[in-house]
Amino acid sequence: MFWKRKAKETTLDMERIPQHIGVIMDGNGRWAKQRGLPRQMGHKRGADILEGICDYCNALGVKVLTVYAFSTENWSRPQKEIDALMDLLYDYLLQVEEKFRGRDMKLKISGDISPLSDKIKQAIAHAEEVTAPGKRMILNIALNYGGRDEIVRAARKIAKESKDGTLQPEDLTESAFSGYLDTAGLPEVDLIIRPSGEQRLSNFMLWQAAYAEFWYSDVCWPDFKNEDMERAILDFQNRNRRFGGVKE
Ligand code: FPP
């Protein structure tokens, strides 16, 4: 062995909780199929378990929890499933004020919401407004979100400002570019979790994932528990993050 590994920690270090966790809530369809249920029941259960996971992350001191709820590619699913997902999201948005009460949480929606129905757009505006005072944790729901689409939308804003003369090419640094993304102002994503056995990014936070740690699990999202989140964070804390540098 050319290097010495530190002994693995087995309890969470509360001083090193990831600030920003991203979750690809995968495996809802398989979870439902295994139980002979329609796919949308998997999504329903997936939405229901989010509440407990949010509370757990909030209690640990996670600052942002980003969840991938609907991708720019999910429009290719059967219309029945799209409608069920949109209904679920709409119901969730209507309940956000009550769900977040006493939790000091804020809701944020990332993604291109322009093609969504007026009803959903209004519910988003209302949910973001009523939860705006929340300071402890942000639940960032990625909705009609795609990492490539996000980068293209940012590039369009930049091209427009450049054309208008309000942005000089030499002022466009990495940090300035980040400010044009949906995650502007949020801390860097530290940890990306994907349950259900799949090990790919699927267009999730492509720019932001540059130095994120990845954690995969075979558990389908509807069965994901606080203990799984704890395992993911513990594993994260045992990683040696070097950000391209060298550490002893
Ligand atoms: C991927 O699993 C999951 C989705 C495309 C939707 C995720 C949405 C929710 C959990 C509910 C809505 C969220 C909120 C915040 C109310 P899949 O269907 O691709 O699973 P499979 O790979 O097993 O088919």
Side-chain angles (χ1 to χ4, degrees), residues 9-23:
E9 299 297 338
T10 52
T11 50
L12 289 184
D13 175 350
M14 298 306 285
E15 302 298 317
R16 291 191 302 125
I17 295 296
Q19 288 212 340
H20 187 166
I21 300 178
V23 181

Side-chain angles (χ1 to χ4, degrees), residues 25-31 39 42-44 46-47 50 67-70 74 77 81 85 88-89 92 141 196 198 221:
M25 302 184 288
D26 199 11
N28 299 343
R30 275 163 285 164
W31 181 91
R39 291 178 58 81
H43 297 313
K44 167 83 178 78
L50 185 57
V67 292
Y68 205 5
F70 194 90
N74 286 154
R77 295 193 174 208
E81 185 171 346
L85 274 167
L88 207 50
L89 284 155
Y92 186 85
I141 300 183
S196 88
E198 309 290 357
W221 173 250

Side-chain angles (χ1 to χ4, degrees), residues 79-92:
Q79 192 58 43
K80 194 172 153 203
E81 185 171 346
I82 296 174
D83 291 345
L85 274 167
M86 290 299 155
D87 286 350
L88 207 50
L89 284 155
Y90 179 67
D91 288 347
Y92 186 85

Side-chain angles (χ1 to χ4, degrees), residues 82-197:
I82 296 174
D83 291 345
L85 274 167
M86 290 299 155
D87 286 350
L88 207 50
L89 284 155
Y90 179 67
D91 288 347
Y92 186 85
L93 291 164
L94 294 190
Q95 292 165 23
V96 155
E97 190 171 8
E98 195 188 317
K99 281 186 192 292
F100 284 19
R101 188 163 294 136
R103 290 172 161 82
D104 201 12
M105 272 167 56
K106 176 156 101 178
L107 181 85
K108 177 177 164 55
I109 300 291
S110 285
D112 176 12
I113 63 161
S114 61
L116 303 181
S117 69
D118 286 345
K119 187 176 95 165
I120 294 191
K121 280 190 241 180
Q122 279 159 18
I124 290 173
H126 182 256
E128 286 187 334
E129 189 189 324
V130 292
T131 63
K135 297 249 172 311
R136 195 174 154 84
M137 189 178 97
I138 296 173
L139 173 65
N140 179 28
I141 300 183
L143 182 51
N144 191 29
Y145 173 87
R148 288 183 175 181
D149 179 67
E150 179 189 32
I151 292 169
V152 169
R153 284 187 285 110
R156 263 195 218 125
K157 286 182 230 163
I158 290 165
K160 188 170 181 310
E161 287 185 20
S162 178
K163 194 173 162 211
D164 295 346
T166 49
L167 179 76
Q168 300 308 313
E170 55 277 18
D171 293 334
L172 191 61
T173 58
E174 286 190 12
S175 133
F177 190 90
S178 294
Y180 290 88
L181 296 171
D182 296 340
T183 47
L186 301 184
E188 290 283 332
V189 179
D190 297 307
L191 172 63
I192 293 180
I193 296 173
R194 183 165 193 161
S196 88

Side-chain angles (χ1 to χ4, degrees), residues 30-88:
R30 275 163 285 164
W31 181 91
K33 196 173 173 204
Q34 283 155 15
R35 286 158 182 80
L37 298 169
R39 291 178 58 81
Q40 42 268 41
M41 290 306 290
H43 297 313
K44 167 83 178 78
R45 164 86 179 198
D48 289 346
I49 67 133
L50 185 57
E51 205 167 328
I53 297 291
C54 272
D55 279 348
Y56 182 66
C57 289
N58 198 5
L60 289 179
V62 171
K63 293 289 162 222
V64 185
L65 178 67
T66 296
V67 292
Y68 205 5
F70 194 90
S71 78
T72 43
E73 288 73 37
N74 286 154
W75 296 107
S76 64
R77 295 193 174 208
Q79 192 58 43
K80 194 172 153 203
E81 185 171 346
I82 296 174
D83 291 345
L85 274 167
M86 290 299 155
D87 286 350
L88 207 50

Side-chain angles (χ1 to χ4, degrees), residues 193-199 215-220 224 228 231:
I193 296 173
R194 183 165 193 161
S196 88
E198 309 290 357
Q199 302 193 354
W215 193 81
Y216 305 105
S217 139
D218 286 336
V219 171
C220 286
F224 201 84
D228 298 302
R231 246 174 253 134

